[in-house]
Amino acid sequence: GSVSGGAIAVMILNVIICFGIPLGLMVWLVLKKKATMRPVLTGMLVFFVFQMLLRIPLMQNVLMGMEWFQEMTHNIWLYGIFLALTAGLFEEVGRFVGYKVLMKRQQAWWDGFAFGVGHGGLEAILITGTTYVNNLILAVFINTGGFEAYASALPPEAAQMIYQQMVGTPATVFLMAGVERIFAMAIQIALSILVLECVRRRNLLLLVLAIALHTLVDAPAVILINGYGVNIYLVEALLGLVAALA
């Protein structure tokens, strides 16, 4: 079997979405509002520090070894809420710290917008963009017969699993990853503006609200897909609704 042309086209589209939209928005912001580079970079820094350096390694290296955490993974409701709540706590508190420490003099609403572009944009690039660059390379390997050489470095089961996923996944399922990033970026921008309001009004309730909203957005996806086998299109439609509201 080979990876269909449609799937490859969708992978290319996902790479364009994940790199093109954030970078395009950044260029547009800098041209339109000369002073937005700092908020964009602050947003990127906050995502990188609070998610990539703190939360994800903590989850993988510390919590995975703890008995209560392993127990909790069996209860999809608890696990989904825990994952979502920690994401909300780390990211929203991160935003708060970013505004307080690095953006004391830049607190107009478009600074919040620019922060969200940096934050959601780097997330799109690191989490989905790089994955799809990798998938594209694998697809080319599979279709040109170069996969055997690549697979020889992997355990046979892993190589077989990758092969089946690449060949057997419909293009529309791959497309959901790009669509999800567009929705997620919209939500990240809205949450960034909400936390900026919290700083501007000195009202910590808005920070609590941001954490709660973040949890409410993230938890259902984990619970519905993994706990109830709800199909991905329905979950993405839900996320799209949230993005529109955001």
Side-chain angles (χ1 to χ4, degrees), residues 5-69:
I8 290 177
V10 166
M11 287 177 199
I12 294 169
L13 180 66
N14 283 349
V15 171
I16 294 169
I17 288 170
C18 293
F19 286 89
I21 293 179
L23 296 171
L25 278 171
M26 285 170 204
V27 170
W28 176 77
L29 276 166
V30 172
L31 293 177
K32 194 166 162 52
K33 308 264 183 203
K34 298 285 183 281
T36 52
M37 208 53 221
R38 187 187 184 105
V40 167
L41 290 172
T42 305
M44 290 178 138
L45 182 69
V46 164
F47 175 75
F48 191 75
V49 169
F50 282 83
Q51 269 288 20
M52 308 305 281
L53 295 184
L54 293 174
R55 179 176 172 265
I56 295 172
L58 263 175
M59 295 286 237
Q60 288 174 345
N61 304 327
V62 182
L63 296 183
M64 282 298 179
M66 294 190 174
E67 221 163 272
W68 63 268
F69 186 75

Side-chain angles (χ1 to χ4, degrees), residues 34-138:
K34 298 285 183 281
T36 52
M37 208 53 221
R38 187 187 184 105
V40 167
L41 290 172
T42 305
M44 290 178 138
L45 182 69
V46 164
F47 175 75
F48 191 75
V49 169
F50 282 83
Q51 269 288 20
M52 308 305 281
L53 295 184
L54 293 174
R55 179 176 172 265
I56 295 172
L58 263 175
M59 295 286 237
Q60 288 174 345
N61 304 327
V62 182
L63 296 183
M64 282 298 179
M66 294 190 174
E67 221 163 272
W68 63 268
F69 186 75
Q70 289 165 358
E71 281 298 304
M72 189 172 65
T73 58
H74 302 307
N75 180 331
I76 194 63
W77 277 86
L78 271 180
Y79 186 55
I81 291 166
F82 182 82
L83 287 182
L85 182 61
T86 53
L89 271 170
F90 276 80
E91 288 189 36
E92 305 317 319
V93 170
R95 285 187 171 97
F96 183 81
V97 171
Y99 289 136
K100 281 288 206 190
V101 176
L102 296 170
M103 286 172 55
K104 283 191 178 122
R105 289 185 185 81
Q106 275 184 269
Q107 294 185 354
W109 80 266
W110 62 80
D111 293 317
F113 183 91
F115 182 103
V117 168
H119 189 287
L122 188 64
E123 180 178 46
I125 289 167
L126 290 181
I127 290 183
T128 309
T130 49
T131 304
Y132 274 87
V133 169
N134 197 19
N135 282 354
L136 259 176
I137 295 167
L138 283 174

